[in-house]
Amino acid sequence: MVQYTDVGDVPAVEVQRLRAVYEPLAESVRQLIDATIRTEVDADTVAAVKAEIDAATARLRSKQCDGPFGVRYTTGGESMAWGNPVIGIRNPMAPPLTIQRDEDGLVFTDFHLGAAYEGPPGHVHGGVSALVLDHVLGEVASNRATPRFTGSITLRYLRPTRLGPLHAEARITRTDGIKAYAAGHLADDQGITVEAEGVFIQPKWARG
């Protein structure tokens, strides 16, 4: 069973304070990842930087949680999925995506993918496209009151997705009891590149 952590009555101002502490750190590491991929400095510089990174890592590990960050909720209902590889503000692997919703039920996000997400030269790795769309479709299919997890997802790669500014969106096409059906797409600056359809299922432990 999936476990969610209730962190209690954490005021919104405290959540914002924690965000202000850890989000810039993750962004700096994202920049470090990009720089690591693209640097052409000499071997001595690489060795010196590695020593600095190892020392910084040791400092961060001096106090850390046991296991993954998980998904934490305040009693006010605010989600802190900060370790998530798609939206996690504390996860340097995440772009991260900022999920938005309109009044018609559309979920969408505009984001940027750079060198860390490259598959074919100059283009997004197909598995990264799948990761993004699985998350965006999952967002539209579920909420805290009615969580639903991926049952199946089908992707149609229309053409390679260019690295750079991207857009993804999804909407629910229909519901059937514990199942929600969703469809969406990923697009680059030249139009839609990947289409997706998925079935998302409410787990047994979340059913009334």
Side-chain angles (χ1 to χ4, degrees):
M1 181 172 129
V2 176
Q3 296 287 338
Y4 296 89
T5 301
D6 186 345
V7 295
D9 189 16
V10 179
V13 65
E14 176 63 8
V15 173
Q16 290 303 312
R17 185 192 71 80
L18 292 171
R19 186 181 187 115
V21 169
Y22 293 110
E23 188 172 21
L25 171 62
E27 178 55 32
S28 290
V29 179
R30 287 186 193 101
Q31 295 300 319
L32 176 62
I33 291 170
D34 185 81
T36 299
I37 294 169
R38 300 197 288 141
T39 188
E40 295 182 344
V41 298
D42 60 56
D44 288 342
T45 302
V46 170
V49 171
K50 178 184 179 301
E52 294 171 3
I53 293 171
D54 289 346
T57 300
R59 290 178 66 188
L60 292 174
R61 287 201 183 282
S62 65
K63 184 178 181 181
Q64 63 182 25
C65 62
D66 182 17
F69 188 85
V71 178
R72 308 178 186 186
Y73 281 95
T74 69
T75 51
E78 183 167 357
S79 171
M80 298 167 64
W82 289 0
N84 186 284
V86 181
I87 61 171
I89 64 167
R90 289 186 62 166
N91 189 341
M93 291 174 55
L97 271 60
T98 299
I99 303 296
Q100 302 182 70
R101 300 171 185 268
D102 70 14
E103 296 178 354
D104 296 324
L106 181 75
V107 161
F108 63 96
T109 179
D110 294 290
F111 58 103
H112 185 279
L113 294 183
Y117 305 96
E118 186 178 42
H123 294 81
V124 178
H125 191 291
V128 174
S129 299
L131 175 70
V132 167
L133 285 168
D134 178 73
H135 188 92
V136 174
L137 268 66
E139 285 274 0
V140 79
S142 63
N143 53 56
R144 191 183 185 191
T146 311
R148 295 187 178 98
F149 299 148
T150 310
S152 65
I153 188 167
T154 302
L155 301 167
R156 288 178 293 278
Y157 292 83
L158 307 180
R159 63 175 175 81
T161 304
R162 295 162 59 89
L163 292 172
L166 301 173
H167 173 86
E169 63 180 60
R171 65 173 65 251
I172 291 178
T173 56
R174 67 185 177 95
T175 57
D176 182 10
I178 62 171
K179 297 180 181 180
Y181 296 78
H185 65 254
L186 176 67
D188 62 15
D189 59 356
Q190 296 181 348
I192 295 174
T193 60
V194 188
E195 296 175 336
E197 295 179 347
V199 181
F200 295 82
I201 303 171
Q202 187 176 13
K204 291 182 179 178
W205 53 263
R207 300 171 195 172

